[in-house]
């Protein structure tokens, strides 16, 4: 496989990466950029633990080749907020204690962020539909749904 230089914009910063164009974005994020928010789960794009935002849409980075990322805005969990000032969605997940093992949280948070960007006031059914392909083996689905609805409510309050 031929390695070529590719310019990626990740969390607002430009990175020059040399890799094969079909290299999964997840590998570059974790191995080259040391961004550990996206997790390797299934490697097939089915579990959601590797989810990132690409141009604002939730995307499975384990199956998204870096060749398709040039010129696009990529945001990982690390790009949402900081430890001192978490994003509204991150804070809602903290407040609702929506984690048990925490492995699925990256995907749940990033998918929620994408959902709220296009639908800031989803119903519970719409939130469940958006998260239906994000797997959580620990069973914290109730807390996760509460976190989504809390974030939605906080966004609504901020907009008033």
């Amino acid at each position: 496989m031929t390695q070529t230089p590719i310019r990626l914009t990740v969390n607002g910063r430009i990175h020059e990466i040399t890799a094969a164009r079909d290299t999964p974005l997840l590998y570059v994020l974790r191995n080259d950029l040391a961004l550990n928010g996206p997790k390797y789960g299934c490697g097939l794009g089915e579990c959601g633990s590797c989810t990132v935002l690409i141009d604002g849409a939730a995307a499975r980075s384990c199956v998204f080749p870096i060749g398709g990322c040039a010129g696009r805005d990529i945001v990982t969990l690390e790009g949402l907020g900081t430890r001192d000032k978490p994003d509204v969605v991150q804070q809602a997940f903290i407040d609702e204690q929506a984690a048990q093992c925490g492995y699925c949280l990256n995907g749940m948070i990033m998918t929620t962020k994408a959902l709220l960007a296009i639908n800031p006031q989803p119903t519970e059914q719409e939130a469940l539909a958006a998260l239906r392909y994000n797997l959580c083996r620990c069973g914290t689905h109730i807390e996760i749904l509460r976190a989504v609805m809390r974030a939605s409510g906080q966004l609504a309050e901020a907009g008033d």
Side-chain angles (χ1 to χ4, degrees):
M1 290 189 201
T2 304
Q3 296 203 355
T4 58
I6 298 173
R7 179 178 282 186
L8 299 178
T9 303
V10 180
N11 298 332
R13 296 182 62 203
I14 296 173
H15 302 274
E16 294 287 339
I17 303 296
T18 300
R21 295 184 62 76
D22 63 348
T23 301
L25 175 60
L26 177 64
Y27 297 176
V28 171
L29 295 173
R30 292 184 62 84
N31 300 337
D32 298 316
L33 303 182
L35 296 170
N36 294 317
K39 305 288 187 254
Y40 182 89
C42 66
L44 301 170
E46 294 181 3
C47 73
S49 62
C50 68
T51 302
V52 298
L53 302 179
I54 299 179
D55 293 336
R60 306 299 168 96
S61 66
C62 72
V63 293
F64 206 101
I66 61 168
C69 295
R72 301 177 81 179
D73 184 40
I74 302 163
V75 178
T76 68
L77 186 66
E78 294 88 348
L80 293 185
T82 65
R83 185 177 297 263
D84 297 328
K85 190 171 174 25
D87 179 80
V88 170
V89 174
Q90 290 170 313
Q91 188 62 54
F93 274 73
I94 293 166
D95 293 344
E96 292 297 336
Q97 298 180 19
Q100 194 159 5
C101 84
Y103 209 81
C104 72
L105 281 189
N106 174 78
M108 296 293 187
I109 289 171
M110 299 308 286
T111 302
T112 298
K113 188 74 177 167
L115 167 66
L116 296 180
I118 60 170
N119 183 1
Q121 295 294 295
T123 64
E124 285 189 5
Q125 294 300 8
E126 290 168 329
L128 289 170
L131 294 171
R132 74 184 174 275
Y133 297 116
N134 289 76
L135 303 180
C136 172
R137 293 180 182 229
C138 297
T140 58
H141 297 90
I142 293 170
E143 292 84 357
I144 289 168
L145 180 59
R146 282 199 321 246
V148 173
M149 301 316 290
R150 177 186 284 255
S152 171
Q154 289 173 341
L155 289 172
E157 287 176 16
D160 290 342

